[in-house]
Amino acid sequence: MNIVVCVKAVPDPKEAGNIRIDPQTKTLRRANVPMVLNPLDKNALEAALQIKAAHITVLSMGPPAAGSIVKECLALGADKGVLLSDAAFGGADAFVTAHTLAMGVRKNGDADVVLCGMASSDGATEWVGPEMATILDMPVATMVREIISHDDTAWEVKAALENGYRRMKVRLPAVLTVTRDLNTPRTLSFSGIIKARKKKITQWGLDDIGVSAEMVGLKGSPTIVTEMRAIEKTRTVTFMEGTREEKAEQLVQKLVEVGVL
Amino acid sequence: MADNTNPIWVIADQESCSLLPVTSQLVGKARSLADALGADVEVVLLGDGVEAQAPTLFGSGADRVYLGNAPELANYHPDVYTELIVGLAEACKPQIVLLGSTSMGRELAPLVAARLETGLTAHCIDLDINADHVMEQIIPAYGGEITIVCPERKPQMATVAQGVFPLPAHDEGRSGEIVPISGPFTHKGRIEILEVVIEEPKGIPLDSATCVLAGGVGAGDSDGWDLMAQLSKELGAGLGCTRPVVDEGWAELETMIGQSGKMVSPETYLGIGLSGEQQHMVGISGAKTMIAINNDKKSPIFSQVDFGVVDDCREFLLVLLEKIREYREKQVSC
Ligand SMILES: Cc1cc2nc3c(=O)[nH]c(=O)nc-3n(C[C@H](O)[C@H](O)[C@H](O)COP(=O)(O)OP(=O)(O)OC[C@H]3O[C@@H](n4cnc5c(N)ncnc54)[C@H](O)[C@@H]3O)c2cc1C
Ligand SMILES: Nc1ncnc2c1ncn2[C@@H]1O[C@H](COP(=O)(O)O)[C@@H](O)[C@H]1O
């Protein structure tokens, strides 16, 4: 079984608060926030690693620096790492990201299952999986929280709804997007890191995946950002002062006043 | 490019034959967008036994309802619904298509958008028509808001969470046209929905709570989170959270408040160990009193609340819980 796992390099969600809109220039001010593997993509990779005898390719579109997260996936146990990187890919919205990744999946050949995270922590559209499925003419199940059974022809899964789940059978080849309830991702091991040193990352650009420059990156994106605004202060705060006990007493008083207590 | 007066669409979302509130909210918004353009509002309503919902949609502002009413449509099926909507969109050429950020909308919107090879914006918090007759789609990001447009391709597509727009006043006098959609409602057989299971929600429902406690990653670990849970119980408050809390596995995704989660309108909001990032804050509307506890006096949360406590939340919550119990005992004794 050939599984492709789509993984994205995202600004570390723990420090993402340091990326702000500059109120003057109306552009993004990035403190040096490090790039990490998108949290939910770890669950997608873990799901693949738990399938016996699967050949796993991790696929990422991003700048050359995203090679580090592909390397991390190799160290976690993926067999092959592919980085789609080209100056022309920059500024892609969800639709062209899905298109570019789909062309990468196609070039890689014969995927039985394509796994994605339900959402990326920086884009969080949730579009890339289902849009890729459409472009590859595959069925999709989003928000998969349990894999009930799997064979070479179909997977039976539980896919989350806001107030329950759908139990569904999806014929292969298919795209699945996963939630964090699916599994607990393994962590890096020393031997994995050593083994991954020998694995090479395949890098493909525009020509390798056979797409025209009009179809990728900012140029190919149907949606564009036209404006950025910083939010002004909305309320004026009064701080509770004093010792911890005194502050707690004042807060209790406040909660009584507003009718919570 | 499509004409400015082409219709504006809302894809209805229903459960057991009753419309989700987000559908009427979107129809109300679509009405005002349509009035700015001189266009009609049309709703695609798919289900089994849903025809009785048409008057509600007309009353909310729809001019026309495309009604697909058949046992095969009772439950959302990605391939069946996508095929029907894409076929209809190709014939009717809507200039705008809106869907709720529900579990159906979040999957169906990208399936339809990719087939129509158009753009799609997720989890919008406002929609507007600009001078070029293009829909501006506002989303919160990076401590502010950004505006996204899809100027060249049509339809322009967006999803919006329940509660972002108000329920429109129901206009009894309004009526409209029902256009039945005939089948076939068959599919390629590559996806089989075996069952749909509704699970009971746990805890106090966030949507209707008068006090909401939102906890952030400042909780530190699952023990710290447990203090948040204790406090919410003590206050009879709904317990919500920020995104990193879900990532850490302390709370369920269903309790995340914000742009891509739940929208709530409590009377009192208590934000603890969170930074007040816009993507979270847009999820709270209309709160009378807002209170924050954070160990960093410079945290952006403090410019968005009425009362603040600067302290380590774990230490502070222990004392606060104690004080609340003392207060309760005093109430009982006198
Ligand atoms: C497209 C998109 C959609 C998103 N949608 C949502 C959404 O719907 N909802 C959502 O919540 N987020 C959403 N996010 C994430 C959002 O941008 C923020 O990352 C998130 O809200 C921050 O959560 P936080 O405040 O808990 O964490 P942080 O921003 O890391 O803040 C933690 C705060 O805790 C304080 N703190 C730390 N330790 C302590 C302590 N011991 N005692 C007291 N205080 C302490 C710190 O001073 C800090 O202010 C989205 C992001 C993207 C890109
Ligand atoms: N640039 C990318 N490279 C590889 N995978 C991606 C990329 N962007 C999104 N994905 C995949 O699509 C999922 C959903 O992302 P999003 O649509 O941005 O919320 C992610 O969890 C990844 O699996």
Side-chain angles (χ1 to χ4, degrees), chain A residues 121-122, chain B residues 216-217 242-243 257-260 273 275 277 279 294-295 313:
Chain A
S121 71
D122 60 341
Chain B
V217 77
T242 61
R243 165 96 138 248
I257 294 174
Q259 178 203 10
S260 37
S275 63
E277 180 58 54
Q279 277 135 350
N294 194 300
N295 63 356
C313 65

Side-chain angles (χ1 to χ4, degrees), chain B residues 153-174:
Chain B
R153 303 205 205 174
K154 293 284 151 61
Q156 311 164 68
M157 291 185 63
T159 62
V160 179
Q162 184 151 303
V164 168
F165 297 126
L167 270 179
H170 184 82
D171 182 349
E172 280 299 334
R174 272 191 63 97

Side-chain angles (χ1 to χ4, degrees), chain A residues 40-111:
Chain A
L40 286 172
D41 299 351
K42 291 185 190 164
N43 298 89
L45 177 60
E46 181 61 34
L49 291 168
Q50 288 182 11
I51 307 286
K52 284 210 179 62
H55 180 275
I56 304 169
T57 303
V58 287
L59 176 66
S60 187
M61 182 188 84
S68 67
I69 65 134
V70 175
K71 200 90 195 168
E72 182 181 337
C73 294
L74 291 172
L76 285 163
D79 300 293
K80 179 177 174 187
V82 179
L83 179 65
L84 302 177
S85 200
D86 195 306
F89 294 162
D93 73 358
F95 181 65
V96 294
T97 300
H99 185 259
T100 308
L101 288 171
M103 295 306 117
V105 171
R106 211 169 260 169
K107 162 135 181 135
N108 194 48
D110 293 328

Side-chain angles (χ1 to χ4, degrees), chain A residues 6-8 38 41 59-61 97 101 115-120 123-129:
Chain A
C6 296
V7 297
K8 184 180 186 186
N38 178 42
D41 299 351
L59 176 66
S60 187
M61 182 188 84
T97 300
L101 288 171
L115 293 174
C116 290
M118 175 192 110
S120 61
T125 66
E126 306 172 24
W127 303 152
V128 170

Side-chain angles (χ1 to χ4, degrees), chain B residues 74-147:
Chain B
N75 284 321
Y76 159 67
H77 184 293
D79 284 343
V80 179
Y81 275 44
T82 302
E83 210 57 53
L84 278 178
I85 293 167
V86 166
L88 203 58
E90 281 168 346
C92 306
K93 307 232 176 304
Q95 59 174 321
I96 291 172
V97 177
L98 307 177
L99 295 97
S101 290
T102 57
S103 39
M104 176 184 93
R106 295 157 99 122
E107 184 177 280
L108 184 57
L111 292 176
V112 171
R115 282 281 297 278
L116 298 174
E117 300 190 356
T118 190
L120 172 62
T121 306
H123 315 309
C124 298
I125 56 160
D126 204 3
L127 302 170
D128 214 344
I129 303 291
N130 71 13
D132 302 324
H133 306 293
V134 170
M135 179 170 66
E136 294 190 331
Q137 306 161 84
I138 320 293
I139 62 167
Y142 313 113
E145 287 176 355
I146 64 181
T147 302

